[in-house]
Amino acid sequence: MERMQQKMNKREIKKLDTLTQYLCGYQDRIKQIRQTLEINPQYNFLNEIETIESLYESLLQDRKKIKSTFFYASTSGWTVMYFRAKEKYKKNEKFNVKIYFSFVEDETFE
């Protein structure tokens, strides 16, 4: 099934670019964590950025439907959080985005 993509505006692209450029400085560390924990150790930094971009785009779509000042999208390794001042979406609203990298072993079933 093909995912519907939203065209990002310049401000949204700039936010994503700024965040991914920051993460570039940590790409060796991220790869080392993946290899140590043996969680998709074959991933390269381009795979990481594609994952983050996909999460970011999904939040841009979800923000129109979700009535909250905070929401997020995540995978087993990445979480992208979206913060805004008002609960309802308003075109060209001001928002902040945070990206977190963390892996949690979730083996609670015995």
Side-chain angles (χ1 to χ4, degrees):
M1 188 164 135
E2 214 173 287
R3 193 168 66 103
M4 183 196 240
Q5 289 190 333
Q6 169 186 327
K7 190 170 185 172
M8 290 188 273
N9 64 38
K10 288 180 184 180
R11 188 171 53 121
E12 293 163 348
I13 292 169
K14 185 176 180 177
K15 277 187 189 280
L16 180 61
D17 286 347
T18 300
L19 291 166
T20 54
Q21 285 173 6
Y22 171 79
L23 290 173
C24 281
Y26 295 96
Q27 61 183 302
D28 291 337
R29 188 175 186 181
I30 293 165
K31 179 117 179 116
Q32 189 175 30
I33 291 169
R34 278 198 180 277
Q35 290 173 341
T36 301
L37 295 175
E38 297 178 3
I39 299 173
N40 294 326
Q42 75 283 0
Y43 264 39
N44 61 35
F45 197 64
L46 180 58
N47 297 127
E48 307 290 1
I49 297 303
E50 288 171 348
T51 300
I52 292 165
E53 187 173 320
S54 175
L55 293 170
Y56 183 78
E57 288 176 350
S58 73
L59 287 177
L60 295 181
Q61 285 293 319
D62 290 347
R63 70 183 175 178
K64 297 173 183 175
K65 299 177 259 177
I66 296 174
K67 293 180 182 175
S68 178
T69 58
F70 158 79
F71 47 98
Y72 64 93
S74 61
T75 64
S76 62
W78 291 102
T79 299
V80 179
M81 303 170 115
Y82 186 101
F83 302 90
R84 62 182 173 197
K86 304 212 183 229
E87 286 191 0
K88 284 187 170 184
Y89 172 73
K90 183 179 177 189
K91 189 174 180 178
N92 295 321
E93 70 183 2
K94 290 184 180 182
F95 65 95
N96 289 312
V97 174
K98 301 286 183 194
I99 298 175
Y100 297 96
F101 176 78
S102 65
F103 289 101
V104 178
E105 291 274 345
D106 195 15
E107 251 181 67
T108 56
F109 302 103
E110 291 187 26

